[in-house]
Each structure stands twice: as structure tokens, then as C-alpha cells.
Amino acid sequence: MDLSYGEAYEAFRQQVRRFLEEHRHEAPPAGLGLGELRDPRLRRWQQLLVEHGYVGRTIPREYGGYGARPDPLETIIIEEEFERAGVSRGLAASQGISMLVPTLLEHGSEEQKRTWIPPTLRGEVIWCQGYSEPGAGSDLASVQTTAVDDGDDFVINGQKIWTSTAQYADMMFALVRTEPQAPKHAGLSYLLIPMRTPGIEVRPLRTMTGLAEFNEVFFTNVRVPKRNVVGRRGEGWKVGNTTLRHERNLLGSASYSERLWRHLLALMQQETVDGRRGP
């Protein structure tokens, strides 16, 4: 059985390697934390990756992507080579690019696609995910944050929790309850919320590591235009599950698993048992 990728894919692998050899000096450190999401080096690198098709590879050109045809093997090769070289993938794994962009491509209006996808791919707009609430974690359909109809806007009140990157984000994609009389799965809408809107308060949650990787987000009479609903009003459960599908794809990627494995090995090599360090 021949398990090689074949000549065409190996030629593509060499193309990726040449790019990395020629440009790796322009890349930011691969381990930049959440606090460096706005680092100018990261943004410049992100734009170079988009230009060469290593981020947003299959996103249509009219929305700021590279416009390549979908090819799972090319995707795997890109991940393998960046991982092998220890070079930053930019913001490829960010919530905006990995989760929101494909959701907008499937459910968003033309205006929403043209407004939000290009700057998200370029790293100019940072997103966070507003799903979990104190009473709605594993039972996500129990979301109680309300969005009340008021003319051209919704008025939002409620709370989100465990919100990664909220303290750095420009925008949030969130599930809110717009139809309080409907069954819980049918009463949600998927809404794009500017994080600088008056009435939003972000409180970092500091963990035992000393870091604040998560946040609580409180909404008090926050006004958001109705045009920011993705898909149809009341169909947020369907749209939200599209986002979750892409989130699971991200967590299941081979490069992500390989990176965690390497970090685990490095940690184990530093630890000791009875004063002795492992092999």
C-alpha cells in the first residue's frame, strides 16, 4: 500500500517550505499569548499568510480570502510544515477566523460577509464567543440573556461567562433569547455585538495559574442593531451549531494535538519523582 501523498502534493510541500525559509524571519514568536493579539508583528504576518494562501485559503477572494479550491491534503501539509518549522500560524486558530468566518459564509447576509470577513482574516477585528452563561453551559439552549425588540434595535440584558479573549475583543458573536414565549431551542438568535457598546462590562476571571484567560461579560441595556442578526431571527440554535461544528474541527486538528503532545513531553522532562528527572 502506497501511503505517500504523491508528486503533486510533495511539490506543494516544497512550496510551503520555501515560503517558510524565505519569510520566517518576519514571523512573530510562535508562543504569543492572548495579550499579544494586537501585536503589530502578528498583524503584518497575518496579512502575509492570507496573501500567500496559508490562512483563509479557501475563502473566496471577494471576501478577502485566497480563493483556492478546498483540498484536505493541502490543509494537512500546511499544518505539518508550519508545525515542523515551529513558525506561527498567525491568527488561523482564532475564534473569528476558525469559527465565525465559516458561519458567516454559510448563514450570513451579503452585507455581513463583506463587512466582517475581510478585516477578520487580516487580524484587524478580534472576536470572542458569547455562548455559556452561569445557568447555561452544557445545556446551551437554556440561555437567558435577553434581546428585547425596540424599533431598529435589540436591547440586551444578561450575562455570559468563560468568555475567552473578551477583554481584547472588538466584537462578540453571541446567542441571545429574542423569542421568550417560544420553546427554548426555538427562541434564540445569533447576534454580532460590538464590544465597545455602552452597557457592556468585562470582568476577567483569574485562575489558579494567575492568568485571566476567561471573563464574565455583563450586558445592561445594550443596544445592537437588528441587522446584526446572522440568519433568521429565532434560528440561532441552527446557526450556533454551525459555529460549534467548526470549533470541534479546530480542536480535533492533527497539528493542535501534536502541539499539545510536545508541550506535555517538555513538561514531563522538567518534572521529578523522588528527586529524579524522567528520561
Side-chain angles (χ1 to χ4, degrees), residues 114-186:
R114 293 185 180 276
T115 298
W116 297 115
I117 294 179
T120 299
L121 289 179
R122 294 192 299 265
E124 296 168 359
V125 177
I126 304 300
W127 293 81
C128 61
Q129 179 186 30
Y131 274 23
S132 295
E133 298 182 6
S138 56
D139 182 14
L140 185 58
S142 294
V143 160
Q144 293 300 311
T145 295
T146 59
V148 176
D149 191 321
D150 187 24
D152 293 330
D153 299 332
F154 286 117
V155 178
I156 305 171
N157 284 278
Q159 177 188 357
K160 299 293 180 179
I161 198 168
W162 310 124
T163 313
S164 304
T165 73
Q167 69 270 55
Y168 310 114
D170 304 294
M171 296 289 296
M172 172 188 284
F173 51 93
L175 289 175
V176 295
R177 189 160 299 281
T178 55
E179 326 300 322
Q181 304 307 316
K184 64 180 184 179
H185 289 81

Side-chain angles (χ1 to χ4, degrees), residues 6 8 37 44 64 91 99-100 108 145 149 154 160 170 174 180 183 201 215 221 229 258 266 273 275:
L37 286 172
R44 288 193 298 269
L91 293 165
M99 297 159 61
L100 176 69
T145 295
D149 191 321
F154 286 117
K160 299 293 180 179
D170 304 294
E201 179 186 0
N215 303 270
N221 297 325
V229 171
E258 184 179 350
V273 177

Side-chain angles (χ1 to χ4, degrees), residues 244-254 256-257 260:
L244 290 174
R245 185 173 72 245
H246 290 287
E247 180 180 25
R248 296 303 178 264
N249 289 340
L250 169 67
L251 296 176
S253 74
Y256 182 79
S257 299
L260 292 179

Side-chain angles (χ1 to χ4, degrees), residues 4 7 15 23 28 31 69 80 151-152 172 177 199 215 243 265:
S4 66
E7 291 185 8
Q15 174 187 322
H23 296 281
R69 61 182 176 82
E80 288 178 343
D152 293 330
M172 172 188 284
R177 189 160 299 281
N215 303 270
T243 300
L265 285 177

